[in-house]
Amino acid sequence: MKKQINPDLLNEAAVKLKYMWPDYKVQCGIILGSGWGAAVEDFHGLEISYDKIPGLGKTGVMGHAGKLLCTEVDGMSVYIFQGRRHWYEGEGWTPVILPIYLLNVMGAKNVLLTNASGGIRDDLGPGSLVAISDHINNLGSNPLIGPHIPGLGTRFPDQSEVYKKELRSTLLKSGADAEGVYIATSGPTFETPAEINQYKSMGADVVGMSTVPEAILANAMGMNVAGLSCVCNWAAGISEHPLTHEDVNRTAADTMPRMKSTITNFLKELARGN
Ligand code: HPA
């Protein structure tokens, strides 16, 4: 299996989406983790199942196909990808970064990436909403490894401000509790306590298994990136209990009303500036 981005598949997906929605011009995109659909349940519009988008369709570990919702918030057109593919699924980079590519070709200038994470910093316990200020790529790889594809940005993209300052302020105004540095690990294992100690000394505030590849590509393509992380558990070693996916899901569900209002406020704020 080839891990590198497959440009033919990206193009095929873009052509299919443009064929389905020939006139659609997107202003903002959101990528929600699997199970975060309730955060956008008040938004309605056209929906496309991931099955219908070449390169995205396989369900992987999500258990069910995700979907793309095309909606409007105060006159601003928004594409919401509900469900994301992860590097740990082992299917290569194409399904992981495809939503970003599609948002870019459909014209989106801004993208909000959301995720669940484990809290490392003392003040970021379960239920905290963190505006990502920067990231550490600890995936052991990078989606842009491989022959340079000019349509995806320069060969050596600058990363001095991946998460745009202005969007971080908007997130804080919209309901996020604090800013913090997100470290991405490949997963699918949770971390060991020794790894969390190491990440803490590296400057990481929260830890998760997603978002960084999408942020790398969106930044390389010149998009404005925002990241909102919901801390769902104390990271390993800080937590007194073993970590389980079920506990993560439970905290995510408890925090959903705040996640929902933060996302909605953020979109309304962006729409006002458009
Ligand atoms: N580690 C990695 N990913 C996560 C965690 C964690 O503690 N919690 C939610 N996603």
Side-chain angles (χ1 to χ4, degrees):
M1 219 282 310
K2 201 171 167 200
K3 302 280 183 201
Q4 290 164 11
I5 291 177
N6 176 344
D8 296 336
L9 205 47
L10 296 184
N11 191 40
E12 200 187 323
V15 167
K16 181 90 191 276
L17 206 54
K18 280 186 171 163
Y19 173 76
M20 284 192 272
W21 273 328
D23 300 325
Y24 211 79
K25 182 99 175 72
V26 184
Q27 289 166 289
C28 179
I30 304 184
I31 298 177
L32 291 176
S34 343
W36 289 90
V40 294
E41 65 192 359
D42 295 341
F43 301 126
H44 304 285
L46 287 161
E47 290 183 0
I48 295 185
S49 163
Y50 281 3
D51 300 338
K52 301 229 164 59
I53 304 174
L56 202 55
K58 273 206 193 162
T59 54
V61 297
M62 291 195 306
H64 54 88
K67 64 183 179 190
L68 167 60
L69 169 67
C70 166
T71 187
E72 270 196 17
V73 177
D74 295 349
M76 178 178 73
S77 53
V78 184
Y79 262 16
I80 304 178
F81 285 86
Q82 297 185 48
R84 62 150 56 86
R85 305 292 304 274
H86 295 84
W87 175 234
Y88 61 68
E89 292 174 43
E91 299 279 338
W93 286 119
T94 307
V96 178
I97 56 81
L98 186 53
I100 295 295
Y101 181 77
L102 292 175
L103 285 172
N104 188 268
V105 296
M106 301 299 274
K109 291 275 172 292
N110 302 304
V111 61
L112 172 64
L113 307 170
T114 72
N115 63 44
S117 60
I120 299 175
R121 203 172 78 199
D122 293 349
D123 61 324
L124 299 179
S128 304
L129 292 183
V130 180
I132 299 176
S133 56
D134 202 349
H135 72 225
I136 298 172
N137 177 7
N138 198 51
L139 293 161
S141 187
N142 186 307
L144 298 179
I145 287 174
H148 179 225
I149 304 171
L152 305 187
T154 66
R155 175 76 287 193
F156 303 108
D158 172 68
Q159 294 203 114
S160 314
E161 194 187 312
V162 173
Y163 303 87
K164 284 286 163 307
K165 231 184 168 118
E166 214 182 301
L167 295 185
R168 278 150 54 190
S169 313
T170 307
L171 278 173
L172 288 170
K173 261 204 278 180
S174 304
D177 299 303
E179 288 195 313
V181 174
Y182 177 92
I183 186 165
T185 69
S186 72
T189 49
F190 287 115
E191 302 68 39
T192 63
E195 284 165 343
I196 293 300
N197 271 335
Q198 183 200 13
Y199 299 164
K200 187 171 185 164
S201 68
M202 287 161 75
D205 299 316
V206 294
V207 58
M209 304 176 195
S210 68
T211 303
V212 164
E214 292 123 300
I216 286 174
L217 180 62
N219 172 70
M221 294 181 95
M223 297 167 79
N224 301 320
V225 182
L228 180 63
S229 187
C230 174
V231 178
C232 286
N233 53 278
W234 284 114
I238 304 172
S239 166
E240 288 165 11
H241 314 286
L243 307 186
T244 68
H245 187 53
E246 289 67 36
D247 290 340
V248 170
N249 284 344
R250 196 168 318 113
T251 313
D254 291 346
T255 316
M256 201 59 79
R258 289 188 58 227
M259 196 75 175
K260 186 171 163 174
S261 66
T262 305
I263 290 173
T264 306
N265 294 340
F266 176 82
L267 290 175
K268 284 178 178 290
E269 203 50 49
L270 269 194
R272 278 213 297 195
N274 265 304

